[in-house]
PDB file of all heavy atoms in Angstrom:
ATOM      1  N   GLN A  39       7.711   4.663  -0.781  1.00  0.00           N
ATOM      2  CA  GLN A  39       7.245   5.910  -0.597  1.00  0.00           C
ATOM      3  C   GLN A  39       8.403   6.840  -0.524  1.00  0.00           C
ATOM      4  O   GLN A  39       9.144   6.761   0.443  1.00  0.00           O
ATOM      5  CB  GLN A  39       6.475   5.977   0.796  1.00  0.00           C
ATOM      6  CG  GLN A  39       5.764   7.424   1.062  1.00  0.00           C
ATOM      7  CD  GLN A  39       4.835   7.251   2.236  1.00  0.00           C
ATOM      8  OE1 GLN A  39       5.086   6.531   3.263  1.00  0.00           O
ATOM      9  NE2 GLN A  39       3.742   7.892   2.254  1.00  0.00           N
ATOM     10  N   TRP A  47       2.983   1.611  -5.650  1.00  0.00           N
ATOM     11  CA  TRP A  47       3.149   0.181  -5.826  1.00  0.00           C
ATOM     12  C   TRP A  47       4.272  -0.159  -6.690  1.00  0.00           C
ATOM     13  O   TRP A  47       4.422   0.489  -7.741  1.00  0.00           O
ATOM     14  CB  TRP A  47       1.803  -0.390  -6.393  1.00  0.00           C
ATOM     15  CG  TRP A  47       1.972  -1.848  -6.728  1.00  0.00           C
ATOM     16  CD1 TRP A  47       1.924  -2.904  -5.811  1.00  0.00           C
ATOM     17  CD2 TRP A  47       2.267  -2.362  -7.977  1.00  0.00           C
ATOM     18  NE1 TRP A  47       2.052  -4.051  -6.518  1.00  0.00           N
ATOM     19  CE2 TRP A  47       2.346  -3.763  -7.841  1.00  0.00           C
ATOM     20  CE3 TRP A  47       2.477  -1.838  -9.330  1.00  0.00           C
ATOM     21  CZ2 TRP A  47       2.636  -4.652  -8.922  1.00  0.00           C
ATOM     22  CZ3 TRP A  47       2.741  -2.628 -10.292  1.00  0.00           C
ATOM     23  CH2 TRP A  47       2.772  -4.060 -10.160  1.00  0.00           C
ATOM     24  N   TYR A  50       4.658  -7.139  -7.676  1.00  0.00           N
ATOM     25  CA  TYR A  50       3.866  -8.188  -7.126  1.00  0.00           C
ATOM     26  C   TYR A  50       4.399  -9.555  -7.503  1.00  0.00           C
ATOM     27  O   TYR A  50       4.994  -9.628  -8.609  1.00  0.00           O
ATOM     28  CB  TYR A  50       2.400  -8.014  -7.742  1.00  0.00           C
ATOM     29  CG  TYR A  50       1.629  -9.343  -7.762  1.00  0.00           C
ATOM     30  CD1 TYR A  50       0.719  -9.541  -6.626  1.00  0.00           C
ATOM     31  CD2 TYR A  50       1.714 -10.231  -8.802  1.00  0.00           C
ATOM     32  CE1 TYR A  50      -0.048 -10.855  -6.623  1.00  0.00           C
ATOM     33  CE2 TYR A  50       0.929 -11.466  -8.787  1.00  0.00           C
ATOM     34  CZ  TYR A  50       0.067 -11.648  -7.716  1.00  0.00           C
ATOM     35  OH  TYR A  50      -0.644 -12.852  -7.783  1.00  0.00           O
ATOM     36  N   GLU A  99      -0.786  -9.561   0.505  1.00  0.00           N
ATOM     37  CA  GLU A  99      -1.902  -9.383  -0.276  1.00  0.00           C
ATOM     38  C   GLU A  99      -2.949 -10.501  -0.013  1.00  0.00           C
ATOM     39  O   GLU A  99      -2.654 -11.767  -0.166  1.00  0.00           O
ATOM     40  CB  GLU A  99      -1.672  -9.248  -1.746  1.00  0.00           C
ATOM     41  CG  GLU A  99      -2.940  -9.107  -2.630  1.00  0.00           C
ATOM     42  CD  GLU A  99      -2.690  -9.050  -4.091  1.00  0.00           C
ATOM     43  OE1 GLU A  99      -1.542  -8.429  -4.508  1.00  0.00           O
ATOM     44  OE2 GLU A  99      -3.427  -9.498  -4.909  1.00  0.00           O
ATOM     45  N   TYR A 106      -6.794  -7.011  -1.100  1.00  0.00           N
ATOM     46  CA  TYR A 106      -6.358  -5.902  -0.340  1.00  0.00           C
ATOM     47  C   TYR A 106      -4.994  -6.259   0.327  1.00  0.00           C
ATOM     48  O   TYR A 106      -4.681  -7.431   0.366  1.00  0.00           O
ATOM     49  CB  TYR A 106      -7.355  -5.529   0.781  1.00  0.00           C
ATOM     50  CG  TYR A 106      -7.941  -6.715   1.607  1.00  0.00           C
ATOM     51  CD1 TYR A 106      -7.282  -7.103   2.693  1.00  0.00           C
ATOM     52  CD2 TYR A 106      -9.187  -7.360   1.153  1.00  0.00           C
ATOM     53  CE1 TYR A 106      -7.756  -8.243   3.534  1.00  0.00           C
ATOM     54  CE2 TYR A 106      -9.642  -8.371   1.916  1.00  0.00           C
ATOM     55  CZ  TYR A 106      -8.948  -8.784   3.001  1.00  0.00           C
ATOM     56  OH  TYR A 106      -9.588  -9.856   3.771  1.00  0.00           O
ATOM     57  N   MET A 107      -4.337  -5.278   0.795  1.00  0.00           N
ATOM     58  CA  MET A 107      -2.975  -5.506   1.436  1.00  0.00           C
ATOM     59  C   MET A 107      -3.210  -5.281   2.884  1.00  0.00           C
ATOM     60  O   MET A 107      -3.377  -4.178   3.393  1.00  0.00           O
ATOM     61  CB  MET A 107      -2.015  -4.552   0.898  1.00  0.00           C
ATOM     62  CG  MET A 107      -1.716  -4.827  -0.645  1.00  0.00           C
ATOM     63  SD  MET A 107      -0.599  -3.661  -1.385  1.00  0.00           S
ATOM     64  CE  MET A 107      -0.715  -4.228  -3.072  1.00  0.00           C
ATOM     65  N   GLY A 111       4.971  -4.470   6.644  1.00  0.00           N
ATOM     66  CA  GLY A 111       6.194  -4.295   7.416  1.00  0.00           C
ATOM     67  C   GLY A 111       6.336  -2.781   7.792  1.00  0.00           C
ATOM     68  O   GLY A 111       5.606  -1.913   7.325  1.00  0.00           O
TER      69      GLY A 111
ATOM     70  N   TYR B  36      -6.655   3.152   3.143  1.00  0.00           N
ATOM     71  CA  TYR B  36      -5.481   2.936   4.262  1.00  0.00           C
ATOM     72  C   TYR B  36      -5.328   4.255   4.987  1.00  0.00           C
ATOM     73  O   TYR B  36      -5.655   5.475   4.349  1.00  0.00           O
ATOM     74  CB  TYR B  36      -4.182   2.598   3.540  1.00  0.00           C
ATOM     75  CG  TYR B  36      -4.242   1.321   2.677  1.00  0.00           C
ATOM     76  CD1 TYR B  36      -4.644   1.338   1.325  1.00  0.00           C
ATOM     77  CD2 TYR B  36      -3.910   0.154   3.313  1.00  0.00           C
ATOM     78  CE1 TYR B  36      -4.758   0.162   0.652  1.00  0.00           C
ATOM     79  CE2 TYR B  36      -3.994  -1.082   2.609  1.00  0.00           C
ATOM     80  CZ  TYR B  36      -4.324  -1.070   1.267  1.00  0.00           C
ATOM     81  OH  TYR B  36      -4.483  -2.161   0.508  1.00  0.00           O
ATOM     82  N   GLN B  38      -2.397   6.366   7.099  1.00  0.00           N
ATOM     83  CA  GLN B  38      -0.937   6.341   7.411  1.00  0.00           C
ATOM     84  C   GLN B  38      -0.665   7.512   8.281  1.00  0.00           C
ATOM     85  O   GLN B  38      -1.034   8.634   8.051  1.00  0.00           O
ATOM     86  CB  GLN B  38      -0.081   6.389   6.217  1.00  0.00           C
ATOM     87  CG  GLN B  38       1.304   6.189   6.487  1.00  0.00           C
ATOM     88  CD  GLN B  38       2.217   6.346   5.220  1.00  0.00           C
ATOM     89  OE1 GLN B  38       1.832   7.052   4.273  1.00  0.00           O
ATOM     90  NE2 GLN B  38       3.291   5.510   5.149  1.00  0.00           N
ATOM     91  N   ALA B  43       3.899   2.633   8.886  1.00  0.00           N
ATOM     92  CA  ALA B  43       3.256   1.899   7.621  1.00  0.00           C
ATOM     93  C   ALA B  43       1.949   2.202   7.496  1.00  0.00           C
ATOM     94  O   ALA B  43       1.218   2.491   8.493  1.00  0.00           O
ATOM     95  CB  ALA B  43       3.571   0.435   7.809  1.00  0.00           C
ATOM     96  N   TYR B  49     -11.827  -2.574   2.894  1.00  0.00           N
ATOM     97  CA  TYR B  49     -11.653  -3.245   1.661  1.00  0.00           C
ATOM     98  C   TYR B  49     -12.920  -3.543   0.878  1.00  0.00           C
ATOM     99  O   TYR B  49     -13.968  -3.297   1.490  1.00  0.00           O
ATOM    100  CB  TYR B  49     -10.797  -4.520   1.821  1.00  0.00           C
ATOM    101  CG  TYR B  49     -11.428  -5.552   2.643  1.00  0.00           C
ATOM    102  CD1 TYR B  49     -12.185  -6.510   2.091  1.00  0.00           C
ATOM    103  CD2 TYR B  49     -11.279  -5.553   4.053  1.00  0.00           C
ATOM    104  CE1 TYR B  49     -12.747  -7.479   2.834  1.00  0.00           C
ATOM    105  CE2 TYR B  49     -11.869  -6.542   4.753  1.00  0.00           C
ATOM    106  CZ  TYR B  49     -12.702  -7.428   4.187  1.00  0.00           C
ATOM    107  OH  TYR B  49     -13.220  -8.496   4.932  1.00  0.00           O
ATOM    108  N   TYR B  94      -3.556  -4.743 -12.238  1.00  0.00           N
ATOM    109  CA  TYR B  94      -2.149  -4.165 -11.977  1.00  0.00           C
ATOM    110  C   TYR B  94      -1.822  -3.239 -13.133  1.00  0.00           C
ATOM    111  O   TYR B  94      -2.285  -3.332 -14.309  1.00  0.00           O
ATOM    112  CB  TYR B  94      -1.186  -5.352 -12.119  1.00  0.00           C
ATOM    113  CG  TYR B  94      -1.300  -6.220 -10.858  1.00  0.00           C
ATOM    114  CD1 TYR B  94      -2.032  -7.413 -10.880  1.00  0.00           C
ATOM    115  CD2 TYR B  94      -0.646  -5.866  -9.587  1.00  0.00           C
ATOM    116  CE1 TYR B  94      -2.155  -8.139  -9.729  1.00  0.00           C
ATOM    117  CE2 TYR B  94      -0.758  -6.634  -8.512  1.00  0.00           C
ATOM    118  CZ  TYR B  94      -1.449  -7.714  -8.503  1.00  0.00           C
ATOM    119  OH  TYR B  94      -1.718  -8.547  -7.367  1.00  0.00           O
ATOM    120  N   PRO B  95      -1.110  -2.145 -12.837  1.00  0.00           N
ATOM    121  CA  PRO B  95      -0.602  -1.856 -11.440  1.00  0.00           C
ATOM    122  C   PRO B  95      -1.606  -1.354 -10.455  1.00  0.00           C
ATOM    123  O   PRO B  95      -2.538  -0.632 -10.708  1.00  0.00           O
ATOM    124  CB  PRO B  95       0.389  -0.691 -11.688  1.00  0.00           C
ATOM    125  CG  PRO B  95      -0.114  -0.060 -12.883  1.00  0.00           C
ATOM    126  CD  PRO B  95      -0.744  -1.114 -13.704  1.00  0.00           C
TER     127      PRO B  95
END
Side-chain angles (χ1 to χ4, degrees):
Chain A
Q39 186 169 36
W47 173 82
Y50 157 93
E99 180 181 325
Y106 47 87
M107 297 181 187
Chain B
Y36 302 87
Q38 187 181 34
Y49 63 91
Y94 289 97

